[in-house]
Amino acid sequence: MDNCEELCPDWLSFIKGVVDSEDLPLNISRENLQQSKILKLIQKNLVKKCIELFKEIAENDEDYKTFYGAFSKMIKLGIHEDSKNRKKLAEFLRYHSTKSGEDQVSLKTYVERMKENQKVIYYITGECKEAVENSPFLEALKKRDLEVLYLVDPIDEYAIQQLKDYQGKTMACATKEGLDLGLSEEEKKKAEEEKASFEDLCKKVKDILGKKVEKVVVSDRMVGSPCSLVTGEFGWSANMQRIMRAQALRDSTMSSYMVAKKTMELNPSHAIVKALKDKFSADAADSAAKDLVWLLYETALLTSGFTLDNPGSFSNRIHRLIKLGLSIDDDDEPEDDDDEEEECPNLEEEDDGGMEDVD
């Protein structure tokens, strides 16, 4: 019975020990033994004892730091699989946050230092801590001094889908639309005015990008960034799409309807967005402005955690900007290329002749 699933769940597979019981009916077949109710009772007690052991380890911060570094994935797997003990296991989670520095915080500590009017637990998912620290999704949250948890382990995406709340506080992803920042009535009124003011620009950007985005709206989510791409509340996040693409045996049919629709959010207070609005107001068919919209979209893909659909077109736009900065005229390039092509054969002929002389 080394691999008896009825005795020990998968998320506790790192626990080793001996179970001594006088109640097991050993005079029956192994198949019937695995169906025995006694095994379910033993499993219940084993899980209970393990959770008690984890609590004892958690009393010492240094010991628990070592334990969590080694077995955090198994605890998160337990949150994903064990619905009966999910709330208990949530007490053992530790994450880096915008206020934790190099240390990790528990959900209990996070809730204790929440703002008075804060109703949700904010978190952001990503590939690594360094990648999410400077994310545009955190700008407004940081400005309001709201703490955000960094979920950078791939299994976090699965676990957080099951752990929907903690102590009555809902888990809110900073990369998805509908994020509640706790705006005041005055701020909400200002947001409505900005929405009406930038409505024409949003329609123009949507027409340019077409099916690349579902809609374009103005948002107060950003402070220093001109735009970002958020996903739907119930679809995959950008990080989840990255994880699923990395699966060797992924189901492509699931990807087709689980891939989240992107919403482009513009920062109405950013100079670039204001300048674009003025450009399109002056000339709705401005080709340079359209090119800048595509460049904004592609840079937003990168900063929002997505991958570029066409890296070649993105690099061409960047190259054109570099040429503009260096005052290089595109009309001069073909002539330079022709000169190089004419010079190369001459050099080859000279080299060939030199080699014949040596021979």
Side-chain angles (χ1 to χ4, degrees), residues 92-325:
F92 302 116
L93 293 175
R94 301 289 186 273
Y95 295 111
H96 289 287
S97 76
T98 51
K99 296 184 179 180
S100 67
E102 296 300 320
D103 299 324
Q104 291 181 313
V105 296
S106 63
L107 294 178
K108 182 179 179 181
T109 303
Y110 180 98
V111 171
E112 287 174 352
R113 59 192 192 193
M114 283 173 61
K115 300 287 183 181
E116 291 183 6
N117 59 344
Q118 186 178 341
K119 300 177 182 179
V120 298
I121 298 174
Y122 297 104
Y123 71 90
I124 182 172
T125 58
E127 190 171 358
C128 62
K129 181 185 173 185
E130 292 73 18
V132 299
E133 277 180 330
N134 298 314
S135 171
F137 299 117
L138 302 182
E139 292 174 354
L141 292 167
K142 287 180 178 178
K143 184 179 180 181
R144 294 175 178 272
D145 197 31
L146 296 170
E147 187 172 11
V148 185
L149 299 174
Y150 299 152
L151 276 62
V152 295
D153 194 336
I155 199 171
D156 285 331
E157 283 279 3
Y158 298 92
I160 207 67
Q161 290 174 14
Q162 304 300 326
L163 187 68
K164 300 182 185 301
D165 61 84
Y166 177 81
Q167 293 186 2
K169 304 293 185 180
T170 307
M171 309 294 288
C173 182
T175 66
K176 295 192 174 183
E177 64 180 353
L179 185 67
D180 182 13
L181 294 174
L183 301 178
S184 63
E185 291 300 323
E186 184 179 345
E187 289 173 327
K188 288 179 181 178
K189 184 179 179 180
K190 182 183 177 183
E192 288 297 324
E193 292 174 355
E194 288 176 338
K195 181 179 179 181
S197 175
F198 284 83
E199 186 176 357
D200 292 338
L201 176 63
C202 291
K203 288 180 180 179
K204 186 64 179 178
V205 173
K206 174 65 175 96
D207 292 340
I208 294 171
L209 297 179
K211 295 181 179 180
K212 293 293 183 180
V213 294
E214 184 183 18
K215 57 185 176 180
V216 180
V217 297
V218 292
S219 172
D220 50 12
R221 190 191 303 255
M222 297 151 289
V223 176
S225 299
C227 62
S228 63
L229 290 170
V230 298
T231 54
E233 187 177 353
F234 302 105
W236 282 344
S237 64
N239 188 54
M240 190 62 177
Q241 291 184 41
R242 179 185 63 82
I243 293 171
M244 294 306 295
R245 276 198 301 270
Q247 303 297 321
L249 301 176
R250 69 181 183 275
D251 184 1
S252 58
T253 57
M254 180 181 288
S255 300
S256 62
Y257 61 82
M258 284 302 292
V259 170
K261 296 178 180 179
K262 303 181 188 71
T263 297
M264 189 173 191
E265 294 189 350
L266 302 177
N267 180 2
S269 60
H270 198 280
I272 292 177
V273 177
K274 290 179 179 178
L276 271 179
K277 179 188 173 185
D278 294 339
K279 266 187 169 296
F280 282 124
S281 298
D283 183 6
D286 192 331
S287 59
K290 290 180 180 179
D291 205 33
L292 290 174
V293 168
W294 277 107
L295 190 58
L296 278 176
Y297 167 75
E298 289 170 333
T299 52
L301 277 176
L302 295 175
T303 57
S304 301
F306 294 94
T307 55
L308 291 172
D309 299 327
N310 188 351
S313 64
F314 175 70
S315 62
N316 287 337
R317 290 188 181 94
I318 295 295
H319 293 159
R320 283 200 292 273
L321 284 178
I322 294 172
K323 291 174 185 174
L324 186 63

